[in-house]
Amino acid sequence: MTPPPDFASAHLRLISAQRAEEGLLHLEVHGFLDFDSAEHFLAAATEHLAATPGLRTLRLDCGGLNGIDSMGLAMLLMLHRRTTAVHVMLCLEARPPALERMLTLTGAMDHLVPGRPIETDGHTETHRMAYRHTSEDGIPVEQAGHGPRPAGPGTST
């Protein structure tokens, strides 16, 4: 994604908002999360993680995000990896359409926004609930009458 021509080279800001409760860090992203700003974004977000003892939740407000490219997505995934490693839940909030589209097209939505409501057959369920193991003919395993598969050669059912 190419930012507007009048944009400065430092076209991304990460702002720490006041914490309303203990164990919560709220960061706002403003600008373009792209090749030029991605490493700065990750470094700044990681500094905030390290500087906040007892952190349980990092809320990343993406409402001010003007655009994202594949490098920006890679840094969001890396931030998710870092927060997971220190047992902090990452919440992407106020996702603009460009971010929603990027997450959906790449399949990263399921990874970065777990438990989000989805619609299946007119019913809203969480992603975890909507996933069903199916047999080869598409029938859910628990309804197909299939038991466990054989463990190896020479085993029978």
Side-chain angles (χ1 to χ4, degrees):
M1 168 172 279
T2 305
D6 60 343
F7 241 82
S9 60
H11 56 274
L12 181 82
R13 291 186 331 239
L14 190 62
I15 301 168
S16 176
Q18 294 286 35
R19 286 190 298 164
E21 54 186 272
E22 196 61 34
L24 174 69
L25 176 60
H26 188 99
L27 297 176
E28 297 176 8
V29 181
H30 296 272
F32 287 85
L33 183 52
D34 60 9
F35 180 82
D36 294 327
S37 63
E39 287 184 27
H40 168 72
F41 162 79
L42 183 61
T46 302
E47 284 178 26
H48 283 288
L49 279 174
T52 312
L55 187 61
R56 294 184 312 272
T57 305
L58 170 59
R59 293 180 186 238
L60 191 62
D61 184 337
C62 301
L65 192 64
N66 296 326
I68 185 168
D69 69 3
S70 59
M71 183 62 93
L73 176 61
M75 292 303 116
L76 285 177
L77 291 166
M78 182 59 76
L79 178 60
H80 180 265
R81 184 177 294 153
R82 290 180 181 181
T83 57
T84 300
V86 293
H87 308 290
V88 172
M89 181 172 58
L90 175 63
C91 300
L92 300 181
E93 299 178 339
R95 297 180 303 271
L99 178 57
E100 286 281 324
R101 186 168 192 270
M102 173 75 80
L103 295 174
T104 301
L105 288 174
T106 61
M109 181 72 83
D110 298 337
H111 188 68
L112 289 174
V113 187
R116 69 186 169 86
I118 61 167
E119 284 209 16
T120 57
D121 299 329
H123 296 85
T124 302
E125 305 181 46
T126 64
H127 233 282
R128 189 177 335 177
M129 294 168 50
Y131 180 78
R132 305 279 191 267
H133 291 284
T134 58
S135 65
E136 292 173 4
D137 57 2
I139 299 172
V141 171
E142 47 287 340
Q143 295 175 6
H146 295 280
R149 293 186 181 202
T155 58
S156 62
T157 54

